[in-house]
Amino acid sequence: MAKKRRKFTQCPNCGYTFEEANNYCPNCGQENHDLNVPVKHLIAEFFEGTLHFDTKAWRTLKCLILRPGLLTEKFNIGQRASYVPPFRLYVFISLIFFFVLALSKSTVTKQQEGATTLTPFPGVNIGSTAPDSLRNIDVAAVIKDSVAARLLEDSATAKLVNKAAALNTARKENLKWAELEAQVEKFAEGGEASKQKLLKNTSFMMFLLMPFFAYLLYLFYYKKRRNYVEHLMFSIHLHTFYFLLIIAAVVTAFIFPDLDLTGVVIFIMLLYLYFALKQVYKTSYVGTFLKLIPISFTYVLTLTIFLLGTLAISILLS
């Protein structure tokens, strides 16, 4: 749908007199469009410019939700003008996704501080008893006893040194754990700031996850001889649908707090991925299922690693 313009007769920037066909000033390049209008018009133009919020957007969302994989297939074969571009669609939906997450009720469980007791070095009392009399001394026996005593003393000293070194190492490890616990406690007590930082890092993590998942598809379907871009479009559309699904689940959970939708969401995710793989890669039902198992396992493992890494980075940077 063409953009509805409120045209000037003369350029406000350079004074050039417009012709009817001029959408931009031929002299300075400024757009021939009057922005001095009520706010509702600007909001409508924002949605139109960001996502072309018209029949194209509804057609795209309908195809994405109800026909798994079809939107990717149409993009790959060149039927693109009738649908919202994948990156633009992903950015818009992801903004809504993280906005909904930020507004949703989420409780941050504060871990109780574990008492870290640093084991002090035990006291070592080395005493020696001197004889009361030096009379009637057997010189050979004294020499023999003194050598044995020296060996015993050296052995005891070595044991004490080793024990002290081990205790010192344990003390340093305890200090490191104490510092880590302090970082976790600081992050947990950060409240809204920590939450926003985690959401920001998660959004960046998901952006990195998409091309990584596309590479996994490239490996699993290497024999199909598809370009990497085709797998990337599949990954973008898949994660866009997942965002929409989680948004719906979060809103539903907000309305019905006692309703647990975790199992339903996971089932829909797997079902959608199954039909999307079959639609795009043209494999049989059994072949698609056999591919779905390792792809799903690898994806869950990768997602877990990415999430743990994101949480660790958020804590260390707090």
Side-chain angles (χ1 to χ4, degrees), residues 40-306:
K40 62 179 182 180
H41 292 288
L42 294 179
I43 294 176
E45 286 182 11
F46 168 77
F47 282 108
E48 180 185 356
T50 304
L51 191 59
H52 293 290
F53 208 78
D54 50 15
T55 55
K56 179 187 290 189
W58 295 117
R59 187 185 304 115
T60 302
L61 291 175
K62 181 180 178 180
C63 185
L64 176 71
I65 296 172
L66 301 179
R67 301 291 300 276
L70 183 61
L71 193 60
T72 303
E73 186 178 26
K74 287 182 176 294
F75 182 91
N76 290 340
I77 64 178
Q79 297 179 10
R80 305 172 185 176
S82 301
Y83 302 95
V84 178
F87 280 108
R88 185 178 297 176
L89 180 66
Y90 171 81
V91 169
F92 187 80
I93 299 300
S94 65
L95 287 176
I96 299 176
F97 171 76
F98 288 105
F99 180 74
V100 170
L101 284 187
L103 292 182
S104 64
K105 285 186 177 181
S106 60
T107 57
V108 179
T109 304
K110 181 180 178 181
Q111 297 182 351
Q112 295 182 351
E113 180 181 4
T116 304
T117 305
L118 300 181
T119 307
F121 289 109
V124 179
N125 297 319
I126 302 176
S128 59
T129 304
D132 295 333
S133 175
L134 296 178
R135 294 175 296 179
N136 302 322
I137 297 177
D138 186 347
V139 176
V142 169
I143 295 175
K144 182 179 178 180
D145 292 341
S146 63
V147 172
R150 178 55 61 89
L151 291 175
L152 182 61
E153 181 181 350
D154 291 342
S155 176
T157 303
K159 289 181 180 179
L160 289 173
V161 170
N162 292 335
K163 187 174 182 180
L167 289 171
N168 191 39
T169 301
R171 180 175 178 273
K172 289 181 179 179
E173 291 178 355
N174 286 334
L175 284 174
K176 290 179 180 179
W177 278 110
E179 291 175 359
L180 181 59
E181 289 180 359
Q183 285 288 103
V184 173
E185 181 182 1
K186 180 182 177 182
F187 182 79
E189 292 178 346
E192 191 63 26
S194 297
K195 178 181 174 182
Q196 293 300 327
K197 181 178 293 185
L198 182 60
L199 283 175
K200 179 181 178 181
N201 292 337
T202 303
S203 64
F204 182 71
M205 179 274 295
M206 292 300 297
F207 191 77
L208 294 178
L209 181 63
M210 285 192 306
F212 187 83
F213 180 69
Y215 183 70
L216 290 179
L217 292 175
Y218 175 81
L219 295 178
F220 276 106
Y221 289 97
Y222 181 77
K223 292 182 179 180
K224 292 290 184 179
R225 300 297 178 183
R226 300 286 188 95
N227 292 326
Y228 173 77
V229 174
E230 298 181 56
H231 303 293
L232 181 60
M233 294 305 107
F234 182 95
S235 180
I236 292 174
H237 285 142
L238 178 70
H239 286 87
T240 302
F241 173 80
Y242 283 174
F243 281 171
L244 287 172
L245 180 62
I246 296 174
I247 289 171
V250 170
V251 173
T252 304
F254 180 78
I255 300 174
F256 305 100
D258 297 330
L259 192 60
D260 186 7
L261 297 174
T262 304
V264 176
V265 169
I266 294 175
F267 176 76
I268 295 176
M269 283 181 170
L270 290 174
L271 194 65
Y272 187 92
L273 177 58
Y274 173 80
F275 285 108
L277 290 173
K278 187 179 185 308
Q279 175 70 40
V280 173
Y281 296 103
K282 306 302 180 185
T283 51
S284 65
Y285 286 100
V286 176
T288 304
F289 181 76
L290 293 177
K291 289 283 188 181
L292 177 68
I293 296 175
I295 289 176
S296 301
F297 177 79
T298 307
Y299 178 78
V300 171
L301 179 62
T302 304
L303 179 62
T304 303
I305 294 174
F306 272 61

Side-chain angles (χ1 to χ4, degrees), residues 11-24:
C11 179
N13 186 51
C14 66
Y16 178 85
T17 301
F18 287 120
E19 297 179 5
E20 183 62 28
N22 292 140
N23 292 328
Y24 294 88

